[in-house]
Each structure stands twice: as structure tokens, then as C-alpha cells.
Amino acid sequence: MSIAENQQAVLDELGLFQDWQERYEYVIGLGKTLPPMDAELKTDDWLIKGCQSQVWLHATSANGKVHYAADSDSVITKGMIALFVRVLDQQPADEILTADLSFIDQTGLKEHLAPTRANALNLMATQMKQRALEFANA
């Protein structure tokens, strides 16, 4: 699926829930689906700076597509990074770099998070693109 299709799938799934608490639980559940991140990748080199919680993001490339590994020490933050991984994982770097990630605004997450956590969403999106930049036109 394309990035736009992945984004729409996330929005459709979130739309199934009646209230914010259910959406919150869904996002936490997404975090639990992330594959375990290798402990040796949980270093300052892969830490997203500026997040309230510790969030690690690592990227590799194979067959022209970027693969992300991520983790956090906070369940909600892990769920937030899982949203981005779900949308951008296994996509071409050039498409990641040009992707409009404003879908995150449509999730309603920013309105229900503390300002520091809401800001983390922007930091995550930026770091996802920066990691993809390493593989663009490669």
C-alpha cells in the first residue's frame, strides 16, 4: 500500500472509536505491535532529541525501501511512533521525503496530549524523514 493508503487506513480505524479514551487505547495497542528493537540500537545515536520520553528510531534500507525500527520507554509515545512506522515502513525513501504527514493532525492526537507530547509528533515526523534522507537516490 502507498503512504496515502496507509494514512487513510489509520484514520479509518481511529474513526471506528466513539471517544478519545478508545482511540488512546488503540494507539497504545499499536505500540505493542512494534517488533522488539535490538538493545544495541537503543543508544544516543538513535534517540529522537527533544521528546519528553525516550524514543529511539533506527532505519535501514533494502530493495529500495526504508525499514524502521522504533521503541520508547512510554506506552503512549511508543504508540505514537508506531503510527508513523505503520505509515512509512517499507516505502521508498523518495516517497517518504515528499510525504504529507499532516494526517497526524486529523487523528486528533495533538488535542488530547500534553503540549510536550504533541510536539513529539512533529519531532517524530521530522526524524522519520531525516532517516529516509540517508537512503534517498541511493
Side-chain angles (χ1 to χ4, degrees):
M1 289 194 338
S2 71
I3 292 172
E5 290 170 329
N6 288 340
Q7 290 175 352
Q8 190 58 53
V10 167
L11 291 172
D12 289 348
E13 289 167 18
L14 283 169
L16 296 173
F17 302 107
Q18 300 301 313
D19 63 33
W20 170 244
Q21 187 62 35
E22 291 175 336
R23 289 182 181 150
Y24 191 79
E25 292 298 325
Y26 169 79
V27 172
I28 289 171
L30 276 180
K32 292 177 181 177
T33 68
L34 278 176
M37 186 175 193
D38 291 337
E40 64 265 9
L41 295 177
K42 292 182 183 180
T43 66
D44 286 347
D45 292 339
W46 305 115
L47 198 61
I48 297 178
K49 311 277 189 284
C51 289
Q52 180 179 357
S53 303
Q54 291 187 305
V55 184
W56 298 273
L57 178 67
H58 183 261
T60 56
S61 179
N63 302 317
K65 302 205 175 174
V66 179
H67 172 68
Y68 292 100
D71 201 358
S72 177
D73 62 352
S74 159
V75 292
I76 188 60
T77 305
K78 187 171 181 174
M80 290 165 25
I81 194 72
L83 283 171
F84 287 110
V85 170
R86 178 161 172 210
V87 167
L88 299 175
D89 194 46
Q90 301 301 325
Q91 299 293 329
D94 293 336
E95 291 180 26
I96 293 169
L97 291 173
T98 59
D100 177 359
L101 298 179
S102 63
F103 85 100
I104 205 69
D105 295 329
Q106 297 172 45
T107 65
L109 278 171
K110 288 184 178 180
E111 292 80 31
H112 294 90
L113 295 171
T116 53
R117 291 221 191 272
N119 183 53
L121 289 166
N122 296 329
L123 293 170
M124 290 175 193
T126 299
Q127 283 300 306
M128 299 288 283
K129 287 189 175 207
Q130 285 195 312
R131 299 287 195 266
L133 184 60
E134 299 168 18
F135 307 111
N137 301 316

